[in-house]
Amino acid sequence: MGDSAGESKLAGQFFDAAIDLLKQVRDGDSAEIAAAGAAIAGAVAAGNRLFAFGAGHSSLAAQDVVYRAGGFALMNLLAVPGVVGVDVMPATLGSALERVDGLAAAVLDSSPAKAGDVLVIVSLSGRNALPVEMAMNARALGLTVIGVTSVAYATETKSRHVSGTYLKDHCDIVLDSRIAVGDAELTHDGIEAPFAPASTVVTSALMQAMMAAAAEELVQRGIEPPLLRSGNVDGGHEWNGRVMTEYGDRIFYRH
């Protein structure tokens, strides 16, 4: 029930919870965000490529930095068929595929990713076989791996990978989303299950902060960040066309 002014008490509580988490990651992950930005900027400056991966709802934050206004044209989605979103039928198949051994290696082997590139892996729990193996195999190939995960899961849940390890154990840099196990910020009398997940809000903010840090690092190196403009503003298409032509050999979502 809302209050007398017609506002929802629970909606306000969710905003408060999300704002608190955003403050926690802003302050607690600042060094890691800067390091991730520097790694991305270094790859751009060296002529290497950028990839982002996430499964299930974690894919939302990965997609949020791919082919969008205000984003790096060079960021590519490393897609694993069947796990990118809830559009797969049945939707539960995506959850099952996250636990399949060997899938990550097959995807990496058929991808354009190679030594010197950067791969950002988003996984809230970091406990399933797919993100763990993705990180392990990417590092073995010589990629720099940035993990965006909730470190709490590593102490409060059991790994589903044969090694007993988590995503955080196989990353060069870890951004901790600080999301509590279960990913639900609210409880209420009369509602049996906890609800109102904040992982998408917080993880997407971490991703965008990381990319902002990368842009800052590139400017400090005297390099223009390869940014896309909105196609809905005058001159946007022309700008994007020039950027995509200049960096076409490192953009894979057009082929």
Side-chain angles (χ1 to χ4, degrees):
M1 296 289 291
D3 63 19
S4 59
E7 297 176 353
S8 169
K9 178 180 178 181
L10 291 178
Q13 289 179 358
F14 175 77
F15 279 116
D16 289 342
I19 290 167
D20 180 62
L21 282 164
L22 289 170
K23 289 179 178 178
Q24 288 184 47
V25 298
R26 179 195 64 190
D27 299 336
D29 287 14
S30 58
E32 291 78 11
I33 291 169
I40 290 170
V44 172
N48 293 314
R49 290 81 61 81
L50 308 175
F51 299 90
F53 163 77
H57 284 89
S58 290
S59 71
L60 296 174
Q63 293 179 63
D64 194 42
V65 294
V66 177
Y67 184 55
R68 66 162 304 148
F72 278 36
L74 273 62
M75 184 61 80
N76 301 277
L77 185 68
L78 187 65
V80 177
V83 307
V84 175
V86 294
D87 58 329
V88 62
M89 292 298 290
T92 50
L93 177 62
S95 298
L97 288 173
E98 287 188 66
R99 305 176 191 181
V100 174
D101 295 332
L103 181 57
V107 168
L108 276 172
D109 287 346
S110 61
S111 79
K114 63 182 182 180
D117 294 345
V118 171
L119 172 60
V120 184
I121 301 177
V122 184
S123 174
L124 177 61
S125 73
R127 67 189 294 230
N128 289 311
L130 186 54
V132 173
E133 289 188 355
M134 186 73 76
M136 294 174 69
N137 283 275
R139 289 184 86 186
L141 290 172
L143 278 75
T144 296
V145 177
I146 300 168
V148 186
T149 186
S150 173
V151 172
Y153 277 82
T155 58
E156 299 180 36
T157 68
K158 183 179 179 180
S159 171
R160 290 184 175 136
H161 188 255
V162 65
S163 68
T165 61
Y166 298 78
L167 170 61
K168 74 174 186 63
D169 300 316
H170 305 285
C171 298
D172 297 285
I173 303 164
V174 175
L175 306 186
D176 184 2
S177 65
R178 291 168 164 76
I179 298 294
V181 173
D183 192 19
E185 294 301 317
L186 302 182
T187 57
H188 193 265
D189 290 342
I191 300 177
E192 293 292 330
F195 56 101
S199 61
T200 303
V201 173
V202 176
T203 303
S204 290
L206 277 170
M207 297 287 279
Q208 294 296 347
M210 174 186 70
M211 299 310 296
E216 182 179 16
E217 175 73 17
L218 283 170
V219 169
Q220 291 173 354
R221 292 176 180 226
I223 299 171
E224 175 71 20
L227 295 169
L228 294 172
R229 290 181 180 269
S230 172
N232 296 315
V233 300
D234 292 342
H237 285 298
E238 292 77 12
W239 171 281
N240 293 341
R242 290 193 298 271
V243 172
M244 289 188 175
T245 297
E246 181 177 354
Y247 294 98
D249 60 333
R250 290 189 266 172
I251 298 172
F252 303 104
Y253 49 79
R254 301 182 71 200
H255 306 298

mmCIF file with all atom_site columns, all heavy atoms in Angstrom, residues 58-78:
data_model
loop_
_atom_site.group_PDB
_atom_site.id
_atom_site.type_symbol
_atom_site.label_atom_id
_atom_site.label_alt_id
_atom_site.label_comp_id
_atom_site.label_asym_id
_atom_site.label_entity_id
_atom_site.label_seq_id
_atom_site.pdbx_PDB_ins_code
_atom_site.Cartn_x
_atom_site.Cartn_y
_atom_site.Cartn_z
_atom_site.occupancy
_atom_site.B_iso_or_equiv
_atom_site.pdbx_formal_charge
_atom_site.auth_seq_id
_atom_site.auth_comp_id
_atom_site.auth_asym_id
_atom_site.auth_atom_id
_atom_site.pdbx_PDB_model_num
ATOM 1   N N   . SER A 1 58 ? 22.702 -11.199 -16.406 1.00 0.00 ? 58 SER A N   1
ATOM 2   C CA  . SER A 1 58 ? 24.009 -10.546 -16.409 1.00 0.00 ? 58 SER A CA  1
ATOM 3   C C   . SER A 1 58 ? 24.378 -10.062 -17.814 1.00 0.00 ? 58 SER A C   1
ATOM 4   O O   . SER A 1 58 ? 25.207 -9.168  -17.970 1.00 0.00 ? 58 SER A O   1
ATOM 5   C CB  . SER A 1 58 ? 25.089 -11.505 -15.890 1.00 0.00 ? 58 SER A CB  1
ATOM 6   O OG  . SER A 1 58 ? 24.941 -11.733 -14.503 1.00 0.00 ? 58 SER A OG  1
ATOM 7   N N   . SER A 1 59 ? 23.751 -10.651 -18.827 1.00 0.00 ? 59 SER A N   1
ATOM 8   C CA  . SER A 1 59 ? 24.024 -10.214 -20.194 1.00 0.00 ? 59 SER A CA  1
ATOM 9   C C   . SER A 1 59 ? 23.512 -8.798  -20.448 1.00 0.00 ? 59 SER A C   1
ATOM 10  O O   . SER A 1 59 ? 23.982 -8.112  -21.365 1.00 0.00 ? 59 SER A O   1
ATOM 11  C CB  . SER A 1 59 ? 23.399 -11.171 -21.214 1.00 0.00 ? 59 SER A CB  1
ATOM 12  O OG  . SER A 1 59 ? 21.986 -11.040 -21.226 1.00 0.00 ? 59 SER A OG  1
ATOM 13  N N   . LEU A 1 60 ? 22.552 -8.349  -19.636 1.00 0.00 ? 60 LEU A N   1
ATOM 14  C CA  . LEU A 1 60 ? 22.020 -7.004  -19.832 1.00 0.00 ? 60 LEU A CA  1
ATOM 15  C C   . LEU A 1 60 ? 23.115 -5.960  -19.640 1.00 0.00 ? 60 LEU A C   1
ATOM 16  O O   . LEU A 1 60 ? 23.218 -5.005  -20.417 1.00 0.00 ? 60 LEU A O   1
ATOM 17  C CB  . LEU A 1 60 ? 20.868 -6.744  -18.863 1.00 0.00 ? 60 LEU A CB  1
ATOM 18  C CG  . LEU A 1 60 ? 19.618 -7.614  -19.042 1.00 0.00 ? 60 LEU A CG  1
ATOM 19  C CD1 . LEU A 1 60 ? 18.633 -7.340  -17.918 1.00 0.00 ? 60 LEU A CD1 1
ATOM 20  C CD2 . LEU A 1 60 ? 18.982 -7.357  -20.397 1.00 0.00 ? 60 LEU A CD2 1
ATOM 21  N N   . ALA A 1 61 ? 23.925 -6.125  -18.612 1.00 0.00 ? 61 ALA A N   1
ATOM 22  C CA  . ALA A 1 61 ? 25.000 -5.165  -18.358 1.00 0.00 ? 61 ALA A CA  1
ATOM 23  C C   . ALA A 1 61 ? 26.082 -5.262  -19.426 1.00 0.00 ? 61 ALA A C   1
ATOM 24  O O   . ALA A 1 61 ? 26.696 -4.258  -19.789 1.00 0.00 ? 61 ALA A O   1
ATOM 25  C CB  . ALA A 1 61 ? 25.604 -5.406  -16.975 1.00 0.00 ? 61 ALA A CB  1
ATOM 26  N N   . ALA A 1 62 ? 26.323 -6.465  -19.941 1.00 0.00 ? 62 ALA A N   1
ATOM 27  C CA  . ALA A 1 62 ? 27.299 -6.616  -21.023 1.00 0.00 ? 62 ALA A CA  1
ATOM 28  C C   . ALA A 1 62 ? 26.798 -5.920  -22.287 1.00 0.00 ? 62 ALA A C   1
ATOM 29  O O   . ALA A 1 62 ? 27.538 -5.183  -22.959 1.00 0.00 ? 62 ALA A O   1
ATOM 30  C CB  . ALA A 1 62 ? 27.555 -8.105  -21.290 1.00 0.00 ? 62 ALA A CB  1
ATOM 31  N N   . GLN A 1 63 ? 25.533 -6.121  -22.616 1.00 0.00 ? 63 GLN A N   1
ATOM 32  C CA  . GLN A 1 63 ? 24.962 -5.490  -23.807 1.00 0.00 ? 63 GLN A CA  1
ATOM 33  C C   . GLN A 1 63 ? 24.903 -3.974  -23.680 1.00 0.00 ? 63 GLN A C   1
ATOM 34  O O   . GLN A 1 63 ? 24.924 -3.257  -24.684 1.00 0.00 ? 63 GLN A O   1
ATOM 35  C CB  . GLN A 1 63 ? 23.561 -6.042  -24.059 1.00 0.00 ? 63 GLN A CB  1
ATOM 36  C CG  . GLN A 1 63 ? 23.526 -7.510  -24.445 1.00 0.00 ? 63 GLN A CG  1
ATOM 37  C CD  . GLN A 1 63 ? 22.113 -8.014  -24.658 1.00 0.00 ? 63 GLN A CD  1
ATOM 38  O OE1 . GLN A 1 63 ? 21.397 -7.549  -25.544 1.00 0.00 ? 63 GLN A OE1 1
ATOM 39  N NE2 . GLN A 1 63 ? 21.692 -8.964  -23.830 1.00 0.00 ? 63 GLN A NE2 1
ATOM 40  N N   . ASP A 1 64 ? 24.855 -3.486  -22.448 1.00 0.00 ? 64 ASP A N   1
ATOM 41  C CA  . ASP A 1 64 ? 24.716 -2.053  -22.205 1.00 0.00 ? 64 ASP A CA  1
ATOM 42  C C   . ASP A 1 64 ? 25.930 -1.256  -22.660 1.00 0.00 ? 64 ASP A C   1
ATOM 43  O O   . ASP A 1 64 ? 25.846 -0.035  -22.807 1.00 0.00 ? 64 ASP A O   1
ATOM 44  C CB  . ASP A 1 64 ? 24.462 -1.808  -20.711 1.00 0.00 ? 64 ASP A CB  1
ATOM 45  C CG  . ASP A 1 64 ? 23.963 -0.404  -20.419 1.00 0.00 ? 64 ASP A CG  1
ATOM 46  O OD1 . ASP A 1 64 ? 23.105 0.082   -21.187 1.00 0.00 ? 64 ASP A OD1 1
ATOM 47  O OD2 . ASP A 1 64 ? 24.428 0.212   -19.453 1.00 0.00 ? 64 ASP A OD2 1
ATOM 48  N N   . VAL A 1 65 ? 27.067 -1.924  -22.886 1.00 0.00 ? 65 VAL A N   1
ATOM 49  C CA  . VAL A 1 65 ? 28.257 -1.201  -23.339 1.00 0.00 ? 65 VAL A CA  1
ATOM 50  C C   . VAL A 1 65 ? 28.606 -1.528  -24.796 1.00 0.00 ? 65 VAL A C   1
ATOM 51  O O   . VAL A 1 65 ? 29.681 -1.182  -25.276 1.00 0.00 ? 65 VAL A O   1
ATOM 52  C CB  . VAL A 1 65 ? 29.473 -1.490  -22.429 1.00 0.00 ? 65 VAL A CB  1
ATOM 53  C CG1 . VAL A 1 65 ? 29.234 -0.937  -21.036 1.00 0.00 ? 65 VAL A CG1 1
ATOM 54  C CG2 . VAL A 1 65 ? 29.797 -2.986  -22.372 1.00 0.00 ? 65 VAL A CG2 1
ATOM 55  N N   . VAL A 1 66 ? 27.695 -2.187  -25.495 1.00 0.00 ? 66 VAL A N   1
ATOM 56  C CA  . VAL A 1 66 ? 27.942 -2.581  -26.884 1.00 0.00 ? 66 VAL A CA  1
ATOM 57  C C   . VAL A 1 66 ? 27.028 -1.806  -27.828 1.00 0.00 ? 66 VAL A C   1
ATOM 58  O O   . VAL A 1 66 ? 25.806 -1.781  -27.636 1.00 0.00 ? 66 VAL A O   1
ATOM 59  C CB  . VAL A 1 66 ? 27.714 -4.100  -27.071 1.00 0.00 ? 66 VAL A CB  1
ATOM 60  C CG1 . VAL A 1 66 ? 27.890 -4.490  -28.541 1.00 0.00 ? 66 VAL A CG1 1
ATOM 61  C CG2 . VAL A 1 66 ? 28.665 -4.893  -26.192 1.00 0.00 ? 66 VAL A CG2 1
ATOM 62  N N   . TYR A 1 67 ? 27.635 -1.163  -28.849 1.00 0.00 ? 67 TYR A N   1
ATOM 63  C CA  . TYR A 1 67 ? 26.898 -0.465  -29.914 1.00 0.00 ? 67 TYR A CA  1
ATOM 64  C C   . TYR A 1 67 ? 25.801 0.422   -29.345 1.00 0.00 ? 67 TYR A C   1
ATOM 65  O O   . TYR A 1 67 ? 24.615 0.206   -29.572 1.00 0.00 ? 67 TYR A O   1
ATOM 66  C CB  . TYR A 1 67 ? 26.320 -1.476  -30.916 1.00 0.00 ? 67 TYR A CB  1
ATOM 67  C CG  . TYR A 1 67 ? 25.621 -0.811  -32.085 1.00 0.00 ? 67 TYR A CG  1
ATOM 68  C CD1 . TYR A 1 67 ? 26.285 0.141   -32.866 1.00 0.00 ? 67 TYR A CD1 1
ATOM 69  C CD2 . TYR A 1 67 ? 24.312 -1.130  -32.406 1.00 0.00 ? 67 TYR A CD2 1
ATOM 70  C CE1 . TYR A 1 67 ? 25.645 0.761   -33.926 1.00 0.00 ? 67 TYR A CE1 1
ATOM 71  C CE2 . TYR A 1 67 ? 23.658 -0.522  -33.472 1.00 0.00 ? 67 TYR A CE2 1
ATOM 72  C CZ  . TYR A 1 67 ? 24.329 0.429   -34.225 1.00 0.00 ? 67 TYR A CZ  1
ATOM 73  O OH  . TYR A 1 67 ? 23.697 1.035   -35.276 1.00 0.00 ? 67 TYR A OH  1
ATOM 74  N N   . ARG A 1 68 ? 26.245 1.431   -28.609 1.00 0.00 ? 68 ARG A N   1
ATOM 75  C CA  . ARG A 1 68 ? 25.260 2.364   -28.072 1.00 0.00 ? 68 ARG A CA  1
ATOM 76  C C   . ARG A 1 68 ? 25.824 3.774   -28.058 1.00 0.00 ? 68 ARG A C   1
ATOM 77  O O   . ARG A 1 68 ? 27.041 3.970   -28.017 1.00 0.00 ? 68 ARG A O   1
ATOM 78  C CB  . ARG A 1 68 ? 24.823 1.946   -26.668 1.00 0.00 ? 68 ARG A CB  1
ATOM 79  C CG  . ARG A 1 68 ? 25.887 2.013   -25.608 1.00 0.00 ? 68 ARG A CG  1
ATOM 80  C CD  . ARG A 1 68 ? 25.234 2.012   -24.230 1.00 0.00 ? 68 ARG A CD  1
ATOM 81  N NE  . ARG A 1 68 ? 24.287 3.097   -24.136 1.00 0.00 ? 68 ARG A NE  1
ATOM 82  C CZ  . ARG A 1 68 ? 23.164 3.070   -23.409 1.00 0.00 ? 68 ARG A CZ  1
ATOM 83  N NH1 . ARG A 1 68 ? 22.866 1.995   -22.715 1.00 0.00 ? 68 ARG A NH1 1
ATOM 84  N NH2 . ARG A 1 68 ? 22.354 4.102   -23.369 1.00 0.00 ? 68 ARG A NH2 1
ATOM 85  N N   . ALA A 1 69 ? 24.915 4.732   -28.102 1.00 0.00 ? 69 ALA A N   1
ATOM 86  C CA  . ALA A 1 69 ? 25.319 6.127   -28.047 1.00 0.00 ? 69 ALA A CA  1
ATOM 87  C C   . ALA A 1 69 ? 26.086 6.400   -26.758 1.00 0.00 ? 69 ALA A C   1
ATOM 88  O O   . ALA A 1 69 ? 25.673 5.971   -25.682 1.00 0.00 ? 69 ALA A O   1
ATOM 89  C CB  . ALA A 1 69 ? 24.087 7.032   -28.115 1.00 0.00 ? 69 ALA A CB  1
ATOM 90  N N   . GLY A 1 70 ? 27.188 7.088   -26.878 1.00 0.00 ? 70 GLY A N   1
ATOM 91  C CA  . GLY A 1 70 ? 28.009 7.388   -25.717 1.00 0.00 ? 70 GLY A CA  1
ATOM 92  C C   . GLY A 1 70 ? 28.925 6.265   -25.306 1.00 0.00 ? 70 GLY A C   1
ATOM 93  O O   . GLY A 1 70 ? 29.643 6.384   -24.312 1.00 0.00 ? 70 GLY A O   1
ATOM 94  N N   . GLY A 1 71 ? 28.930 5.178   -26.066 1.00 0.00 ? 71 GLY A N   1
ATOM 95  C CA  . GLY A 1 71 ? 29.763 4.028   -25.749 1.00 0.00 ? 71 GLY A CA  1
ATOM 96  C C   . GLY A 1 71 ? 30.902 3.871   -26.737 1.00 0.00 ? 71 GLY A C   1
ATOM 97  O O   . GLY A 1 71 ? 30.941 4.509   -27.788 1.00 0.00 ? 71 GLY A O   1
ATOM 98  N N   . PHE A 1 72 ? 31.834 2.999   -26.384 1.00 0.00 ? 72 PHE A N   1
ATOM 99  C CA  . PHE A 1 72 ? 32.968 2.719   -27.261 1.00 0.00 ? 72 PHE A CA  1
ATOM 100 C C   . PHE A 1 72 ? 32.514 1.878   -28.458 1.00 0.00 ? 72 PHE A C   1
ATOM 101 O O   . PHE A 1 72 ? 31.906 0.817   -28.273 1.00 0.00 ? 72 PHE A O   1
ATOM 102 C CB  . PHE A 1 72 ? 34.045 1.937   -26.508 1.00 0.00 ? 72 PHE A CB  1
ATOM 103 C CG  . PHE A 1 72 ? 34.967 2.796   -25.671 1.00 0.00 ? 72 PHE A CG  1
ATOM 104 C CD1 . PHE A 1 72 ? 34.496 3.914   -25.003 1.00 0.00 ? 72 PHE A CD1 1
ATOM 105 C CD2 . PHE A 1 72 ? 36.318 2.483   -25.567 1.00 0.00 ? 72 PHE A CD2 1
ATOM 106 C CE1 . PHE A 1 72 ? 35.338 4.700   -24.239 1.00 0.00 ? 72 PHE A CE1 1
ATOM 107 C CE2 . PHE A 1 72 ? 37.170 3.266   -24.802 1.00 0.00 ? 72 PHE A CE2 1
ATOM 108 C CZ  . PHE A 1 72 ? 36.687 4.377   -24.140 1.00 0.00 ? 72 PHE A CZ  1
ATOM 109 N N   . ALA A 1 73 ? 32.836 2.329   -29.644 1.00 0.00 ? 73 ALA A N   1
ATOM 110 C CA  . ALA A 1 73 ? 32.493 1.563   -30.842 1.00 0.00 ? 73 ALA A CA  1
ATOM 111 C C   . ALA A 1 73 ? 33.199 0.214   -30.857 1.00 0.00 ? 73 ALA A C   1
ATOM 112 O O   . ALA A 1 73 ? 32.722 -0.739  -31.474 1.00 0.00 ? 73 ALA A O   1
ATOM 113 C CB  . ALA A 1 73 ? 32.862 2.361   -32.094 1.00 0.00 ? 73 ALA A CB  1
ATOM 114 N N   . LEU A 1 74 ? 34.323 0.111   -30.143 1.00 0.00 ? 74 LEU A N   1
ATOM 115 C CA  . LEU A 1 74 ? 35.142 -1.090  -30.194 1.00 0.00 ? 74 LEU A CA  1
ATOM 116 C C   . LEU A 1 74 ? 34.656 -2.206  -29.289 1.00 0.00 ? 74 LEU A C   1
ATOM 117 O O   . LEU A 1 74 ? 35.189 -3.318  -29.353 1.00 0.00 ? 74 LEU A O   1
ATOM 118 C CB  . LEU A 1 74 ? 36.598 -0.766  -29.813 1.00 0.00 ? 74 LEU A CB  1
ATOM 119 C CG  . LEU A 1 74 ? 37.511 -0.306  -30.949 1.00 0.00 ? 74 LEU A CG  1
ATOM 120 C CD1 . LEU A 1 74 ? 37.016 0.999   -31.557 1.00 0.00 ? 74 LEU A CD1 1
ATOM 121 C CD2 . LEU A 1 74 ? 38.929 -0.120  -30.425 1.00 0.00 ? 74 LEU A CD2 1
ATOM 122 N N   . MET A 1 75 ? 33.707 -1.963  -28.412 1.00 0.00 ? 75 MET A N   1
ATOM 123 C CA  . MET A 1 75 ? 33.256 -3.007  -27.495 1.00 0.00 ? 75 MET A CA  1
ATOM 124 C C   . MET A 1 75 ? 32.319 -3.967  -28.216 1.00 0.00 ? 75 MET A C   1
ATOM 125 O O   . MET A 1 75 ? 31.302 -3.559  -28.774 1.00 0.00 ? 75 MET A O   1
ATOM 126 C CB  . MET A 1 75 ? 32.552 -2.402  -26.287 1.00 0.00 ? 75 MET A CB  1
ATOM 127 C CG  . MET A 1 75 ? 32.142 -3.428  -25.236 1.00 0.00 ? 75 MET A CG  1
ATOM 128 S SD  . MET A 1 75 ? 33.523 -4.352  -24.516 1.00 0.00 ? 75 MET A SD  1
ATOM 129 C CE  . MET A 1 75 ? 34.121 -3.149  -23.305 1.00 0.00 ? 75 MET A CE  1
ATOM 130 N N   . ASN A 1 76 ? 32.676 -5.239  -28.210 1.00 0.00 ? 76 ASN A N   1
ATOM 131 C CA  . ASN A 1 76 ? 31.916 -6.273  -28.898 1.00 0.00 ? 76 ASN A CA  1
ATOM 132 C C   . ASN A 1 76 ? 31.289 -7.241  -27.901 1.00 0.00 ? 76 ASN A C   1
ATOM 133 O O   . ASN A 1 76 ? 31.890 -7.546  -26.863 1.00 0.00 ? 76 ASN A O   1
ATOM 134 C CB  . ASN A 1 76 ? 32.837 -7.068  -29.826 1.00 0.00 ? 76 ASN A CB  1
ATOM 135 C CG  . ASN A 1 76 ? 33.508 -6.211  -30.879 1.00 0.00 ? 76 ASN A CG  1
ATOM 136 O OD1 . ASN A 1 76 ? 32.920 -5.926  -31.919 1.00 0.00 ? 76 ASN A OD1 1
ATOM 137 N ND2 . ASN A 1 76 ? 34.750 -5.796  -30.620 1.00 0.00 ? 76 ASN A ND2 1
ATOM 138 N N   . LEU A 1 77 ? 30.110 -7.733  -28.216 1.00 0.00 ? 77 LEU A N   1
ATOM 139 C CA  . LEU A 1 77 ? 29.468 -8.725  -27.369 1.00 0.00 ? 77 LEU A CA  1
ATOM 140 C C   . LEU A 1 77 ? 29.992 -10.109 -27.749 1.00 0.00 ? 77 LEU A C   1
ATOM 141 O O   . LEU A 1 77 ? 29.940 -10.511 -28.909 1.00 0.00 ? 77 LEU A O   1
ATOM 142 C CB  . LEU A 1 77 ? 27.951 -8.687  -27.547 1.00 0.00 ? 77 LEU A CB  1
ATOM 143 C CG  . LEU A 1 77 ? 27.162 -9.619  -26.620 1.00 0.00 ? 77 LEU A CG  1
ATOM 144 C CD1 . LEU A 1 77 ? 27.270 -9.145  -25.170 1.00 0.00 ? 77 LEU A CD1 1
ATOM 145 C CD2 . LEU A 1 77 ? 25.699 -9.683  -27.050 1.00 0.00 ? 77 LEU A CD2 1
ATOM 146 N N   . LEU A 1 78 ? 30.533 -10.814 -26.765 1.00 0.00 ? 78 LEU A N   1
ATOM 147 C CA  . LEU A 1 78 ? 30.930 -12.206 -26.973 1.00 0.00 ? 78 LEU A CA  1
ATOM 148 C C   . LEU A 1 78 ? 29.720 -13.059 -26.625 1.00 0.00 ? 78 LEU A C   1
ATOM 149 O O   . LEU A 1 78 ? 29.472 -13.359 -25.454 1.00 0.00 ? 78 LEU A O   1
ATOM 150 C CB  . LEU A 1 78 ? 32.127 -12.561 -26.091 1.00 0.00 ? 78 LEU A CB  1
ATOM 151 C CG  . LEU A 1 78 ? 32.745 -13.935 -26.319 1.00 0.00 ? 78 LEU A CG  1
ATOM 152 C CD1 . LEU A 1 78 ? 33.353 -14.025 -27.717 1.00 0.00 ? 78 LEU A CD1 1
ATOM 153 C CD2 . LEU A 1 78 ? 33.799 -14.238 -25.274 1.00 0.00 ? 78 LEU A CD2 1
#
